[in-house]
Amino acid sequence: MSDATTTQPGAEWWRTAVIYQVYPRSFADASGDGVGDLAGIADRLPHLQALGVDAVWLSPFYRSPQHDGGYDVADYRDVDPLFGTLADADRLLAEAHDLGLKVVVDLVPNHTSNEHEWFQEALRAAPGSPERARYIFRPGTGDGSEPPNNWQSVFGGPAWTRVADGEWYLHIFDTSQPDLDWLNPEVPAMFDDVLRFWLDRGVDGFRVDVAHGLMKAPGLPDVDEDAITTGSMESPFFGQESVHEVYRRWHEVLAEYDGDRMLCAEAWVHPLEKMARFVRPDEMHQAFNFVYLETPWDARRLRQVIDESIAEFGAVGAPSTWVLSNHDTIRHRTRLALVPQPPHGVGIGPTSVSKADAEVSLRRGRAATALMLALPGGAYVYQGEELGLPEVVDIPAEARQDPTFHRTNGEMWGRDGCRVPIPWEADAPGYGFSPNGASWLPQPASWATYARDAQVGVPGSTLELYTEALRLRREHALGAGTVEWIDAGPDAVAFRNGDVVVIANVGHDAIDLPAGELLLASTELHAASLRADETAWVRVPR
């Protein structure tokens, strides 16, 4: 157990924290094999401390055949040799804590890898056996040659695969990711042990993958194809009320430990009232605000979602947790400048994307970040966004690795474009990602201009904008503040948070700034007004 003590309710660290997501494959490669690793992450932790974030969230590094970037777990209690060893994980935890950084790790409870020992036992066992009961096996329909129902995978194609003896198993994602049956007592018992394994090692929390998907509707009914499209997040296999019992149980496990350990839900559910149920006092602590992430660059809609978010999460005593980008979505710098704006990354394809104007894209992305980091509650930053990285759209077909691309025969590009290894040094091999230039996805030549060493200490750079915004956020306690709306016109998102007035110009015409001390501007201002796609923070004492 941690030596840290638990704080008073309402003052927990996660309520206001800015958490930095590391996608291990693409952050830093110490070994030179072209894939990021735990040693590389540990070596770069001082940079994250200098950036000013409060915690680091690590996407999966467990043993895995890597068919879906580690979200196909073969052993939840070990590190995949691709990323290092348990000793490397312990070193990372210790060094992060020495730097004052919390560490959140990913947990994937909806499904395992098809190489997990449980699933291999299930394949060797007979239909109806206890081994198969850990997963969702069913006989087919008709003569058995058709799937048990009409469910489609989020990655495209049927959600069922037939095994040699004729039964079918459910996989809401890739065929290599069989869904667990959470009604089987063995499953929650196993995950209790997994939680304690990592809590005992000192992790500060868990981001829970597909938190809305563990329970399926009784009887596994067909999807209403007239109302629900492939991959919809509202279906018989997502958002079932019974899933909340899982998180009440996990809440009790975390309560055994000191240090305000936390759970963050990846729950793609609508409306916000339904998302807020995941963070009731006896369940989880944070839930990614995907409704905010999916909101287009539109002043009215942004004001509305901010209002609704604060109201719905506040009604259950939880903070709103703001997010603009992650490893599953188009980088927000690019996404917010696309017309039409796609909601997230899985469905992006060659016919849905026109290249966004680079200058508009960067200005809008910076303005959106400055707006988000001024809001009360928690926030997440995805690796590379502090460098202003755009989505990489010109990855050759033969280099793409996302199963979405392959399951749809290239009709959907998937998520490789936001997962390209990030640049650290402009003139180094692989832009400093690896010691010899190796990279599991190709890096574009433009990466040199975005490299960290080309931005650190450079006035006006995106890295310095993020660093200053995070410093000011702490200094003015914006994460613990409130939103008081200000009328600055129909194209403005304007509010007061404590002594800071925040204005984002989401329209075209200039907006005057109030008299006061200019604390932050998302781009260099040329007058006492905001142009399109600019955000400013102004200190205006009451």
Side-chain angles (χ1 to χ4, degrees):
M1 296 200 183
S2 170
D3 291 332
T5 57
T6 302
T7 57
Q8 292 297 315
E12 299 91 347
W13 67 271
W14 43 263
R15 288 185 174 273
T16 60
V18 176
I19 300 178
Y20 185 100
Q21 181 190 357
V22 169
Y23 190 68
R25 295 175 67 90
S26 301
F27 188 70
D29 169 24
S31 69
D33 64 357
V35 178
D37 45 44
L38 298 184
I41 297 168
D43 291 343
R44 301 287 191 178
L45 285 174
H47 297 298
L48 300 185
Q49 182 195 42
L51 179 62
V53 297
D54 301 294
V56 179
W57 154 35
L58 304 175
S59 290
F61 50 81
Y62 311 112
R63 280 193 178 268
S64 164
Q66 302 294 320
H67 293 305
D68 184 26
Y71 283 90
D72 48 325
V73 179
D75 187 344
Y76 293 89
R77 299 177 184 86
D78 200 3
V79 173
D80 194 284
L82 189 67
F83 301 120
T85 65
L86 276 173
D88 291 324
D90 291 338
R91 174 203 163 200
L92 192 160
L93 279 162
E95 294 191 9
H97 289 155
D98 287 345
L99 292 169
L101 296 169
K102 306 283 189 180
V103 179
V104 176
V105 299
D106 229 309
L107 193 61
V108 188
N110 180 70
H111 48 263
T112 70
S113 165
N114 60 355
E115 295 186 17
H116 191 282
E117 62 178 353
W118 273 12
F119 193 72
Q120 290 300 304
E121 291 171 358
L123 292 180
R124 292 191 294 268
S129 63
E131 291 82 2
R132 289 210 174 174
R134 297 163 174 161
Y135 294 88
I136 301 177
F137 278 86
R138 295 292 186 274
T141 56
D143 62 358
S145 63
E146 295 297 322
N149 63 28
N150 68 350
W151 293 1
Q152 296 290 298
S153 162
V154 172
F155 289 166
W160 295 91
T161 290
R162 198 178 190 188
V163 299
D165 58 30
E167 275 207 319
W168 299 73
Y169 69 87
L170 179 68
H171 52 85
I172 295 302
F173 294 89
D174 190 54
T175 55
S176 64
Q177 296 166 299
D179 280 44
L180 289 160
D181 188 346
W182 272 85
L183 297 177
N184 185 324
E186 287 189 72
V187 175
M190 187 265 278
F191 276 92
D192 288 351
D193 292 343
V194 170
L195 290 170
R196 291 190 175 97
F197 178 86
W198 290 105
L199 290 166
D200 288 342
R201 300 189 94 88
V203 304
D204 300 287
F206 301 89
R207 175 266 189 187
V208 183
D209 187 61
V210 198
H212 56 303
L214 278 56
M215 297 295 188
K216 279 62 176 177
L220 311 183
D222 278 353
V223 168
D224 181 353
E225 293 179 338
D226 292 332
I228 302 175
T229 58
T230 299
S232 169
M233 296 301 175
E234 300 290 339
S235 69
F237 48 80
F238 284 147
Q240 301 300 307
E241 276 299 302
S242 53
V243 78
H244 295 284
E245 292 302 322
V246 176
Y247 305 123
R248 292 187 183 99
R249 176 172 176 149
W250 288 9
H251 187 100
E252 293 179 0
V253 172
L254 267 64
E256 299 169 7
Y257 292 79
D258 292 337
D260 299 321
R261 312 299 176 99
M262 57 82 83
L263 296 166
C264 179
E266 184 210 27
W268 291 89
V269 294
H270 300 90
L272 278 164
E273 182 275 330
K274 191 171 184 178
M275 186 181 293
R277 295 177 199 170
F278 284 84
V279 289
R280 289 175 288 197
D282 61 345
E283 295 189 43
M284 305 178 89
H285 306 86
Q286 294 183 330
F288 292 120
N289 192 337
F290 292 127
V291 179
Y292 181 76
L293 180 150
E294 292 181 320
T295 301
W297 192 238
D298 176 270
R300 180 189 63 81
R301 294 177 67 177
L302 283 166
R303 290 191 298 266
Q304 180 180 11
V305 74
I306 291 169
D307 255 348
E308 291 180 358
S309 299
I310 292 172
E312 294 295 352
F313 287 103
V316 295
S320 182
T321 303
W322 313 99
V323 61
L324 286 169
S325 290
N326 64 32
H327 67 290
D328 282 335
T329 64
I330 305 166
R331 286 189 176 274
H332 75 269
R333 170 195 160 168
T334 300
R335 186 182 72 249
L336 292 174
L338 292 174
V339 180
Q341 182 187 317
H344 50 75
V346 175
I348 187 173
T351 61
S352 65
V353 175
S354 58
K355 287 191 176 180
D357 178 272
E359 182 179 353
V360 172
S361 168
L362 183 58
R363 283 169 59 89
R364 190 167 292 178
R366 289 165 57 117
T369 294
L371 172 62
M372 180 188 77
L373 291 178
L375 292 168
Y380 280 74
V381 172
Y382 177 50
Q383 65 178 39
E385 69 171 84
E386 78 279 14
L387 305 176
L389 297 185
E391 185 84 359
V392 180
V393 298
D394 54 357
I395 300 172
E398 63 272 15
R400 290 190 176 273
Q401 300 197 28
D402 192 328
T404 303
F405 179 79
H406 300 290
R407 284 180 62 85
T408 63
N409 295 316
E411 291 182 10
M412 292 191 291
W413 280 344
R415 302 155 296 175
D416 291 325
C418 66
R419 299 177 175 183
V420 175
I422 66 173
W424 293 90
E425 302 165 31
D427 298 323
Y431 308 105
F433 165 68
S434 63
N436 54 13
S439 176
W440 71 280
L441 281 173
Q443 298 165 293
S446 62
W447 251 215
T449 62
Y450 295 108
R452 186 184 186 280
D453 71 345
Q455 297 193 49
V456 66
V458 177
S461 70
T462 303
L463 177 62
E464 292 303 315
L465 171 68
Y466 270 73
T467 304
E468 183 66 1
L470 290 168
R471 184 189 70 79
L472 290 166
R473 177 184 165 91
R474 288 192 304 276
E475 180 181 318
H476 293 270
L478 299 182
T482 58
V483 166
E484 301 175 43
W485 291 112
I486 297 171
D487 184 3
D491 292 326
V493 179
F495 58 90
R496 174 187 283 275
N497 185 349
D499 63 350
V500 178
V501 170
V502 180
I503 303 178
N505 187 347
V506 187
H508 300 287
D509 298 332
I511 297 174
D512 291 337
L513 289 175
E517 177 191 358
L518 180 65
L519 297 175
L520 184 81
S522 60
T523 55
E524 183 179 0
L525 301 185
H526 298 287
S529 62
L530 290 178
R531 297 166 295 174
D533 302 326
E534 289 182 337
T535 298
W537 300 1
V538 182
R539 183 175 180 270
V540 183
R542 293 183 183 276

